[in-house]
Amino acid sequence: MLLLSALLIMGSQISSAQSITYKEDAKTYALPALFQNNNNEIILSWTEKDAAGMVNYYFARSADKGKTFSDKKLIYAAPGIGTGRLARPRLLFKKNGDMVATFSFNPDAQLQANAGEVKAARPKELQVYVTESADGGNTWSTPKSVHNDATPGVIRGFYDATLMANDELAVVFLKDIPNKPHERDLRLVIAQNGVFGDERIIDSFVCDCCNLGLLTDEKGNLNVYYRENADNIRDIAKMISTDNGITFSTPEMVYKDNWKINACPHTGPVALRYGNTNLISYYSGVEGNPGVRLVTQAGKQLLLLKDETIKTASLAGNEKKAVILYGQGTQDAGTKIGYRTIAKSKVSADKWLDNSATGTNPNGIIVDNELVVVYELTEKGKVVGIKTDVVKLN
């Protein structure tokens, strides 16, 4: 474990006070995220990519509320693991403690040394893969696709995944519409007794490049959040299933922005279960009132972040407290990590994470009265490391 009484360097980990930095030369870091397992331990996951294009998907465990983390453990390594922010890996925990890891995967990807040192092109095929561990992450099953139809040359991306009330995995994703370039539908695939069934279209035409949100709420309902496309009005929609993904309600807008744009904004919703409601955050560029919004499941707007450098946010919380996290600033002017606390329908003013210069893409989790945060560290536009921090909430 990392010792916090003094500065300590252990491999690629640097620890000081309650901050931990993972950084190693010639590695590109991405997609840090925090989760909590059934033992109330905090789990940190992230990816590292080397110069040849090999991507390692790691996790580390904290038994002291984010103040220290164990040595990293490998979940899977392959050049095809997705590292884009629009299809983030997910770590989930079944009721029996088994770990479930999902990630976007390009089966055509090769190490650059095997491809003549040619820079990798945008993938022409993507699938969602899943692997499981029954021993706390020491060993993992061979990753497998969640798609029964693995027709090559098809993008199945921008996904999200969650465990439903019945402890089975659900995955939503966007899929290419045949013979219609740059058009995608919204699909769902669910497992029954651990076996994935056929995927189903749950909306036949949606915004084609925005990430999705999926969560199981406090009533056990499965909620899907996505950016709709109705004659180029691209507001955030929701659908609800009360029967573990078998049927869904008619789509409704989370909040009627009426943002009309003839292009995909490449930014979708994030959602959080909070007390007896859900919180949803997303960006809207509607004329006269653009910014990152925070709304409730019932459509009440709690916050509008108008700073033009903030395009995405993440949410952290439990039944009583919640936080919205964001990176503010530009590469030239510098960036920092901001957050606001949420108590029922009241939202605080901006608060800033100390020593978060060059920080971006934050993710967090609340434990007791503390916020544990992880974010990317950048240099000249490249992510060169990740850093964790612990903040006491007022």
Side-chain angles (χ1 to χ4, degrees):
M1 300 290 290
L2 293 176
L3 303 177
L4 298 176
S5 58
L7 183 66
L8 174 68
I9 300 179
M10 183 180 297
S12 60
Q13 297 180 353
I14 303 174
S15 174
S16 179
Q18 292 187 5
S19 297
I20 300 172
T21 299
Y22 292 78
K23 187 175 181 181
E24 187 174 339
D25 291 341
K27 293 286 183 67
T28 299
Y29 292 72
L31 308 178
L34 293 166
F35 308 91
Q36 193 167 30
N37 66 15
N38 299 357
N39 297 323
N40 294 319
E41 295 174 319
I42 295 176
I43 307 297
L44 167 66
S45 74
W46 72 97
T47 63
E48 296 178 14
K49 187 175 183 178
D50 66 21
M54 178 61 76
V55 180
N56 293 273
Y57 180 18
Y58 289 115
F59 82 96
R61 180 182 286 106
S62 174
D64 56 6
K65 304 178 182 179
K67 298 174 180 61
T68 67
F69 282 88
S70 67
D71 292 340
K72 63 186 180 184
K73 291 187 176 182
L74 182 68
I75 297 173
Y76 188 59
I81 296 176
T83 58
R85 295 185 184 181
L86 299 181
R88 298 168 179 268
R90 295 276 284 170
L91 268 181
L92 304 165
F93 303 90
K94 290 188 173 182
K95 294 174 183 177
N96 66 358
D98 287 358
M99 300 175 70
V100 180
T102 63
F103 54 92
S104 185
F105 189 71
N106 173 14
D108 294 332
Q110 302 179 55
L111 293 176
Q112 291 186 21
N114 296 334
E117 302 297 336
V118 176
K119 183 178 180 180
R122 179 177 295 181
K124 296 180 180 179
E125 179 176 351
L126 280 177
Q127 299 180 32
V128 180
Y129 271 53
V130 60
T131 176
E132 298 189 22
S133 173
D135 58 7
N138 292 314
T139 60
W140 293 84
S141 65
T142 300
K144 62 182 179 180
S145 174
V146 305
H147 312 285
N148 287 337
D149 176 12
T151 302
V154 176
I155 297 295
R156 307 165 185 83
F158 310 95
Y159 88 99
D160 199 8
T162 194
L163 291 172
M164 299 182 290
N166 63 0
D167 213 29
E168 298 278 12
L169 184 66
V171 180
V172 287
F173 58 96
L174 303 184
K175 186 175 182 180
D176 290 342
I177 298 176
N179 304 315
K180 293 185 177 181
H182 310 295
E183 294 188 13
R184 296 189 173 108
D185 54 34
L186 174 64
R187 302 198 178 206
L188 172 82
V189 60
I190 59 175
Q192 293 183 327
N193 297 319
V195 178
F196 291 100
D198 293 332
E199 61 194 42
R200 292 183 288 119
I201 298 174
I202 56 177
D203 194 318
S204 60
F205 180 65
V206 300
C207 195
D208 60 297
C209 293
C210 287
N211 56 285
L212 307 170
L214 187 66
L215 69 77
T216 302
D217 65 26
E218 61 125 17
K219 296 180 181 178
N221 298 330
L222 183 66
N223 296 255
V224 180
Y225 303 95
Y226 61 101
R227 194 176 292 279
E228 186 60 277
N229 185 352
D231 297 324
N232 282 327
I233 294 178
R234 302 179 189 243
D235 291 348
I236 302 300
K238 64 181 178 183
M239 287 191 289
I240 302 170
S241 173
T242 60
D243 54 11
N244 294 310
I246 304 301
T247 62
F248 280 89
S249 63
T250 301
E252 297 180 15
M253 295 304 108
V254 168
Y255 187 85
K256 293 183 178 180
D257 296 295
N258 292 313
W259 182 23
K260 190 168 187 176
I261 178 173
N262 188 24
C264 179
H266 293 87
T267 174
V270 294
L272 172 75
R273 186 167 72 182
Y274 175 56
N276 59 3
T277 187
N278 301 330
L279 298 177
I280 306 99
S281 179
Y282 62 94
Y283 176 79
S284 173
V286 64
E287 186 176 356
N289 206 24
V292 171
R293 281 167 168 67
L294 176 67
V295 301
T296 67
Q297 182 82 352
K300 180 181 179 181
Q301 180 174 294
L302 302 182
L303 174 67
L304 174 62
L305 293 169
K306 294 185 176 182
D307 188 301
E308 62 182 11
T309 68
I310 304 173
K311 299 299 184 184
T312 61
S314 63
L315 298 170
N318 51 35
E319 283 120 14
K320 297 180 180 179
K321 301 174 184 176
V323 165
I324 182 169
L325 286 148
Y326 41 89
Q328 184 188 62
T330 65
Q331 179 182 331
D332 293 335
T335 60
K336 57 183 177 180
I337 303 300
Y339 66 97
R340 295 193 184 201
T341 56
I342 304 158
K344 295 183 178 179
S345 61
K346 295 182 179 180
V347 182
S348 73
D350 287 316
K351 301 180 181 183
W352 304 103
L353 203 63
D354 292 339
N355 303 313
S356 64
T358 78
T360 187
N361 193 23
N363 188 271
I365 193 167
I366 292 178
V367 181
D368 297 332
N369 198 42
E370 293 182 326
L371 171 66
V372 185
V373 185
V374 64
Y375 54 92
E376 296 173 348
L377 298 172
T378 61
E379 290 180 6
K380 298 179 180 180
K382 180 181 178 181
V383 180
V384 296
I386 59 174
K387 183 179 180 181
T388 68
D389 211 337
V390 181
V391 180
K392 281 200 173 291
L393 297 174
N394 296 329

